[in-house]
Coordinates of all heavy atoms in Angstrom, one line a residue:
P87 N 82.1 -59.8 -76.3 CA 81.0 -59.5 -77.3 C 81.4 -58.5 -78.3 O 82.2 -57.6 -78.0 CB 79.9 -59.1 -76.4 CG 80.3 -59.4 -75.0 CD 81.8 -59.4 -74.9
T88 N 80.9 -58.6 -79.5 CA 81.0 -57.5 -80.5 C 79.7 -56.7 -80.4 O 78.8 -57.0 -79.6 CB 81.0 -58.1 -81.9 OG1 79.8 -58.8 -82.1 CG2 82.2 -59.0 -82.0
D89 N 79.7 -55.6 -81.1 CA 78.4 -54.7 -81.1 C 77.3 -55.6 -81.6 O 76.1 -55.4 -81.1 CB 78.6 -53.5 -82.1 CG 79.6 -52.5 -81.5 OD1 80.0 -52.7 -80.3 OD2 79.9 -51.5 -82.2
K90 N 77.5 -56.5 -82.6 CA 76.4 -57.3 -83.0 C 75.9 -58.3 -81.9 O 74.7 -58.5 -81.8 CB 76.9 -58.2 -84.2 CG 75.9 -59.1 -84.9 CD 76.5 -59.8 -86.0 CE 75.4 -60.8 -86.6 NZ 76.0 -61.6 -87.8
G91 N 76.9 -58.7 -81.1 CA 76.5 -59.6 -80.0 C 75.7 -58.8 -78.9 O 74.7 -59.3 -78.4
Y92 N 76.1 -57.6 -78.6 CA 75.4 -56.8 -77.7 C 73.9 -56.5 -78.2 O 73.0 -56.5 -77.5 CB 76.1 -55.5 -77.4 CG 77.3 -55.5 -76.5 CD1 78.5 -55.1 -76.9 CD2 77.2 -56.1 -75.2 CE1 79.6 -55.1 -76.1 CE2 78.3 -56.1 -74.4 CZ 79.5 -55.7 -74.8 OH 80.6 -55.7 -74.0
R93 N 73.9 -56.3 -79.5 CA 72.6 -56.0 -80.1 C 71.6 -57.1 -80.0 O 70.4 -56.9 -79.6 CB 72.8 -55.7 -81.6 CG 71.5 -55.4 -82.4 CD 71.0 -54.0 -82.2 NE 70.1 -53.9 -81.1 CZ 69.8 -52.8 -80.5 NH1 70.3 -51.6 -80.9 NH2 68.9 -52.7 -79.5
L94 N 72.1 -58.3 -80.2 CA 71.2 -59.5 -80.1 C 70.9 -59.7 -78.6 O 69.7 -60.1 -78.3 CB 71.9 -60.7 -80.7 CG 71.0 -62.0 -80.6 CD1 69.7 -61.8 -81.4 CD2 71.8 -63.2 -81.1
F95 N 71.8 -59.5 -77.7 CA 71.6 -59.7 -76.3 C 70.5 -58.7 -75.9 O 69.5 -59.1 -75.1 CB 72.9 -59.4 -75.5 CG 72.7 -59.3 -74.0 CD1 72.7 -60.5 -73.3 CD2 72.6 -58.1 -73.4 CE1 72.6 -60.5 -71.9 CE2 72.4 -58.1 -72.0 CZ 72.4 -59.3 -71.3
V96 N 70.5 -57.5 -76.3 CA 69.5 -56.5 -75.9 C 68.1 -56.9 -76.5 O 67.1 -56.8 -75.8 CB 69.9 -55.1 -76.3 CG1 68.8 -54.1 -76.1 CG2 71.1 -54.6 -75.5
D97 N 68.1 -57.2 -77.8 CA 66.9 -57.5 -78.5 C 66.2 -58.8 -77.9 O 65.0 -58.9 -78.0 CB 67.2 -57.8 -80.0 CG 67.5 -56.5 -80.7 OD1 67.3 -55.4 -80.1 OD2 68.1 -56.6 -81.8
R98 N 67.0 -59.7 -77.3 CA 66.4 -60.9 -76.8 C 66.4 -61.0 -75.3 O 66.4 -62.0 -74.7 CB 67.2 -62.1 -77.3 CG 67.2 -62.2 -78.8 CD 65.9 -62.7 -79.4 NE 65.6 -64.1 -79.1 CZ 66.1 -65.1 -79.8 NH1 66.8 -64.9 -80.9 NH2 65.8 -66.3 -79.5
L99 N 66.5 -59.8 -74.6 CA 66.4 -59.8 -73.2 C 65.1 -60.4 -72.7 O 64.0 -60.0 -73.2 CB 66.5 -58.3 -72.7 CG 67.8 -57.7 -72.5 CD1 67.7 -56.2 -72.1 CD2 68.7 -58.4 -71.5
E100 N 65.2 -61.3 -71.8 CA 64.0 -62.0 -71.3 C 63.3 -61.2 -70.3 O 62.1 -61.2 -70.1 CB 64.3 -63.4 -70.8 CG 64.8 -64.4 -71.8 CD 65.2 -65.7 -71.3 OE1 65.4 -65.8 -70.0 OE2 65.3 -66.7 -72.0
K101 N 64.0 -60.4 -69.5 CA 63.4 -59.6 -68.4 C 64.3 -58.4 -68.1 O 65.5 -58.5 -68.3 CB 63.2 -60.4 -67.2 CG 64.4 -61.0 -66.5 CD 64.1 -61.8 -65.3 CE 65.4 -62.4 -64.7 NZ 65.1 -63.1 -63.4
I102 N 63.7 -57.4 -67.7 CA 64.4 -56.2 -67.3 C 64.4 -56.1 -65.8 O 63.4 -56.2 -65.1 CB 63.7 -54.9 -67.9 CG1 63.7 -54.9 -69.4 CG2 64.5 -53.6 -67.4 CD1 65.0 -55.0 -70.1
Q103 N 65.6 -56.0 -65.3 CA 65.8 -56.0 -63.8 C 65.1 -54.7 -63.3 O 65.6 -53.6 -63.5 CB 67.3 -56.0 -63.5 CG 67.6 -55.7 -62.1 CD 69.1 -55.5 -61.9 OE1 69.9 -55.9 -62.7 NE2 69.5 -54.9 -60.8
P104 N 64.0 -54.9 -62.5 CA 63.3 -53.7 -62.0 C 64.1 -53.1 -60.8 O 64.9 -53.7 -60.2 CB 62.0 -54.2 -61.5 CG 62.3 -55.7 -61.1 CD 63.4 -56.1 -62.1
L105 N 63.8 -51.8 -60.5 CA 64.4 -51.2 -59.3 C 63.8 -51.9 -58.1 O 62.6 -52.3 -58.1 CB 64.1 -49.7 -59.3 CG 64.6 -48.8 -60.4 CD1 64.2 -47.4 -60.2 CD2 66.1 -49.0 -60.6
S106 N 64.5 -52.0 -57.1 CA 64.0 -52.5 -55.8 C 63.0 -51.6 -55.2 O 62.9 -50.4 -55.6 CB 65.2 -52.8 -54.9 OG 65.7 -51.6 -54.4

Side-chain angles (χ1 to χ4, degrees):
T88 62
D89 289 354
K90 182 179 178 181
Y92 284 124
R93 177 78 271 163
L94 184 61
F95 174 82
V96 170
D97 290 344
R98 300 288 290 273
L99 278 175
E100 293 180 341
K101 61 181 180 179
I102 301 299
Q103 171 188 339
L105 299 183
S106 67

